[in-house]
Amino acid sequence: MGSEATQPNGATDSRPVLFFDIDNCLYPRSAKVHDLMADLIDRYFATHLGLPEAEAIVLHKEYYRDYGLAIEGLVRHHQIDPLDYNAKVDDALPLEDIIKPNAGLRKLLQDIDTSKVKLWLLTNAYVTHGRRVVRLLGIDDLFEGLTYCDYSTFPIICKPHPDMFAKAMKEAGVERSEDCYFIDDSYSNVESAEKLGWASVHLVEEGLPVPETQASKYQVRHLEELRRIFPQFFKSN
Ligand SMILES: [Mg+2]
């Protein structure tokens, strides 16, 4: 994977960018990473704030609702070191047991013509977690970069805030929103990107209820459908 901030051919590279969310997008929700993470977050709240478990769960939910990320509430309202939190929550997940190389996903990504589009990761996780997941999936070499949520800055910038999408554009070296393509499983992330003019795809996995109103023009059940939606990016054979 390339470095986050620099583009070797930035001046001449006019390729559009296809941004991929990572968690619950490049691996299925059924992997239950989210549930495991929620348990670790509850435990972190209980241990570091000295709360009974029931109160920890309530506060975790409250911060998630108010800020989109539990860590933001911890940093705003308590003297919590966000990188200690990352080490004890995201980096403590037993992902090696859960996430395995995905040959089908690798084939899909390899069928994309990278002379026509740049592949970039865009996650609300910290860099360590994001890199670990794509390495375990066996696809880390197929992306040119990663824009992540930097827990060490305050205020924390993350999707769906427009600043996070602006940061991703800057890091991926793309200037016009019409050159941005995006896939994510989060309704609010997709809705926000679509409003900014990105061509956005909402992944609603098979078995999950579809929203009453679509988050964006495109809604898919599987990443394979990207072949149909964006045929211009795939190698012809
Ligand atoms: Mg996601």
Side-chain angles (χ1 to χ4, degrees), residues 21-27 29 122-124 159 183-186 189:
D21 172 45
I22 298 178
D23 290 293
N24 291 336
C25 186
L26 294 178
Y27 62 80
R29 190 170 290 263
L122 174 51
T123 178
N124 271 357
K159 296 176 287 184
I183 181 153
D184 196 306
D185 65 290
S186 153
N189 292 348

Side-chain angles (χ1 to χ4, degrees), residues 100-233:
K100 305 289 179 196
N102 183 336
L105 175 60
R106 186 170 174 85
K107 172 87 170 74
L108 173 72
L109 295 169
Q110 279 182 318
D111 285 347
I112 295 173
D113 184 344
T114 53
S115 73
K116 295 179 185 155
V117 67
K118 183 187 290 187
L119 300 185
W120 202 270
L121 297 158
L122 174 51
T123 178
N124 271 357
Y126 191 58
V127 59
T128 44
H129 175 81
R131 288 221 169 111
R132 189 173 165 218
V133 171
V134 290
R135 181 172 46 76
L136 290 171
L137 285 167
I139 55 170
D140 51 326
D141 57 318
L142 302 179
F143 293 90
E144 293 185 43
L146 160 70
T147 293
Y148 62 93
C149 181
D150 188 353
Y151 294 168
S152 67
T153 61
F154 185 83
I156 294 172
I157 299 169
C158 64
K159 296 176 287 184
H161 197 286
D163 286 355
M164 185 61 165
F165 294 100
K167 178 179 158 181
M169 288 178 71
K170 186 160 175 268
E171 291 183 352
V174 58
E175 281 175 6
R176 305 182 316 158
S177 56
E178 57 263 45
D179 289 331
C180 297
Y181 299 78
F182 176 53
I183 181 153
D184 196 306
D185 65 290
S186 153
Y187 187 96
S188 54
N189 292 348
V190 170
E191 189 184 33
S192 177
E194 181 93 345
K195 273 193 196 131
L196 294 167
W198 291 27
S200 305
V201 183
H202 185 203
L203 173 66
V204 183
E205 263 183 65
E206 199 66 63
L208 290 179
V210 294
E212 217 163 278
T213 314
Q214 283 198 188
S216 59
K217 184 178 167 194
Y218 305 113
Q219 179 178 288
V220 300
R221 284 301 199 179
H222 198 279
L223 293 176
E224 283 292 329
E225 292 174 64
L226 291 175
R227 294 180 191 273
R228 173 175 57 78
I229 295 178
F230 303 133
Q232 70 273 30
F233 295 148

